[in-house]
Amino acid sequence: MSERTHILGIGSAVPDNVVTNDDLSRVMDTSDEWIQQRTGIRQRRHIAADCGGTDLGAIAAREALASAGVGIDQIDAIVYATLSPDIDWPASANLLAAKLGARSVPAFDVRNQCSGFLYSLASADALIRAGRARHVLVVGGEIHSTGIDLTTRGREVAVIFGDGAGAVVLGPSPDPQRGLLSTHLHAEGRYAEKLWLESASSRKKPRIEPADLDGDAPRAFPSMSGRYVFKHAVTRFPEVIQEALAANGLRVEDLDVLIPHQANLRINQFVAAALEMDEAKVVNNIDRYGNTTAASIPLALAEAMRDGRVSEGRLVCLAAFGAGFTWAAALFRW
Ligand code: ACO
């Protein structure tokens, strides 16, 4: 059997600036009660000044490298998951690599929104299994606060998202019985319009114009069919988790910890109920950080590793659903 990939170290970073539901209700028509009831979110972090996802990502990455005991000179590839790249191009992974002082190793972005971290994990695992890399740095970084409409017009989306970053160092597992068992990736592009950011667009000249920022549904802000997304999420999450378990001859009862993407606490409660899982086995921290998209799984995993919920021998499933639509799962024997 080839060596298994495992997470050798983890790090996380969020901005200091806490934005509560009450803070939002001062700039838009919303309330703490509405937000908590629909999403479970109490607060999120927003950057206070000029700060890119790769700035947070670099802090998380340094922590991950230190906890893995791996130097940046030992990293053979860098994968950066985001829907909010610092700039349009080149890839933010390049900016991150420069900040970290990486060697001239491959660095690329994965633009798969809420599933981005798991798509990145699967890509990194493939590089390691193919012998193309020994250690890969995977970082999920997201700055939403500069791209959402913080007025009543944008409230359905704006209250959900927060800024943050999480990073892992992947490498060969010290024990062949432990590590990543399998990854499962899916996409269904016909639903792209149900959750997207349409502008700026290379299909148009100019790519963005003042009208994109005006009107009832401005194209320069994310647009989401909330209920539609919710309905698909509560179907696809259990499906892909079951798929990962079945691929390894395991069942829901075997699962010790589920770390779902933090899109909405209600979605995660639905998923636990659909799988007939004890909610205590499901890791949620959306109440404090909101939905940080590609960063949400490593942020939650970092927390669960620190407090001991994720520990040696446990069966741990990471799962995501988001824009695309895309959805994914990764199963680990820790
Ligand atoms: N504060 C107060 N009222 C609001 C807010 C708000 N922040 N946002 C919307 N409303 C209003 C609407 O205008 C609407 O009013 P109306 O009935 O007068 O038209 C009403 O509240 C809508 O209420 P509900 O339909 O009951 O809202 P729902 O229960 O569907 O919750 C929500 C909305 C939270 C967005 C939900 O649909 C959801 O979580 N969907 C999934 C979101 C998600 O998971 N996104 C994926 C992650 S993003 C990614 O992948 C990049």
Side-chain angles (χ1 to χ4, degrees), residues 139-190:
V139 180
E142 221 69 83
I143 303 294
H144 279 295
S145 57
T146 51
I148 46 180
D149 181 3
L150 287 162
T151 70
T152 298
R153 186 181 57 182
R155 64 183 178 176
E156 189 183 6
V157 172
V159 300
I160 291 177
F161 291 114
D163 303 339
V168 294
V169 173
L170 295 173
S173 173
D175 174 347
Q177 302 303 320
R178 295 169 50 212
L180 183 56
L181 303 180
S182 60
T183 55
H184 305 266
L185 309 179
H186 295 279
E188 208 167 13
R190 66 191 160 125

Side-chain angles (χ1 to χ4, degrees), residues 6-163:
H6 205 1
I7 291 178
L8 306 181
I10 191 158
S12 60
V14 291
D16 293 333
N17 179 34
V18 174
V19 177
T20 64
N21 293 344
D22 285 338
D23 291 333
L24 290 181
S25 67
R26 283 191 271 279
V27 295
M28 63 178 74
D29 181 11
T30 190
S31 67
D32 179 48
E33 191 194 357
W34 192 98
I35 299 170
Q36 283 213 48
Q37 204 175 72
R38 301 304 202 292
T39 70
I41 299 168
R42 288 189 287 116
Q43 61 184 50
R44 72 289 291 144
R45 304 294 180 99
H46 285 180
I47 54 165
D50 249 18
C51 171
T54 64
D55 293 310
L56 295 179
I59 298 169
R62 287 191 193 101
E63 193 179 307
L65 289 162
S67 72
V70 169
I72 187 64
D73 53 325
Q74 292 170 275
I75 291 295
D76 303 312
I78 295 176
V79 190
Y80 185 66
T82 193
L83 65 63
S84 53
D86 290 14
I87 52 171
D88 213 10
W89 55 273
S92 292
N94 292 279
L95 309 184
L96 177 65
K99 282 173 188 157
L100 294 172
R103 292 181 292 122
S104 61
V105 296
F108 58 92
D109 285 3
V110 167
R111 298 285 304 275
N112 273 51
Q113 307 73 247
C114 302
S115 307
F117 182 75
L118 296 187
Y119 268 72
S120 300
L121 196 72
S123 308
D125 179 45
L127 287 172
I128 292 169
R129 281 173 177 265
R132 301 288 297 271
R134 184 163 171 84
H135 295 116
V136 181
L137 178 65
V138 172
V139 180
E142 221 69 83
I143 303 294
H144 279 295
S145 57
T146 51
I148 46 180
D149 181 3
L150 287 162
T151 70
T152 298
R153 186 181 57 182
R155 64 183 178 176
E156 189 183 6
V157 172
V159 300
I160 291 177
F161 291 114
D163 303 339

Side-chain angles (χ1 to χ4, degrees), residues 241 245 251-262 265 268-269 271-273 275-285 300-301 304-305 307-311 314-319 331 333:
I241 293 163
L245 289 166
R251 295 176 310 164
V252 173
E253 302 86 275
D254 300 315
L255 202 52
D256 296 305
V257 186
L258 171 63
I259 304 185
H261 163 56
Q262 307 287 302
L265 182 63
N268 294 351
Q269 289 169 334
V271 172
L275 293 170
E276 298 182 13
M277 262 188 90
D278 180 356
E279 268 191 46
K281 291 182 172 181
V282 184
V283 176
N284 286 303
N285 63 3
L301 177 62
M305 284 173 71
D307 67 23
R309 275 178 290 177
V310 167
S311 53
R314 295 203 148 177
L315 187 67
V316 179
C317 185
L318 315 180
L331 195 65
R333 175 64 67 188

Side-chain angles (χ1 to χ4, degrees), residues 188-198 203 222-225 228-229 323-325:
E188 208 167 13
R190 66 191 160 125
Y191 297 120
E193 294 175 19
K194 299 293 181 188
L195 181 56
W196 72 350
L197 176 61
E198 217 185 331
R203 296 184 294 202
S223 131
M224 174 175 81
S225 305
Y228 205 87
V229 174
F325 291 153

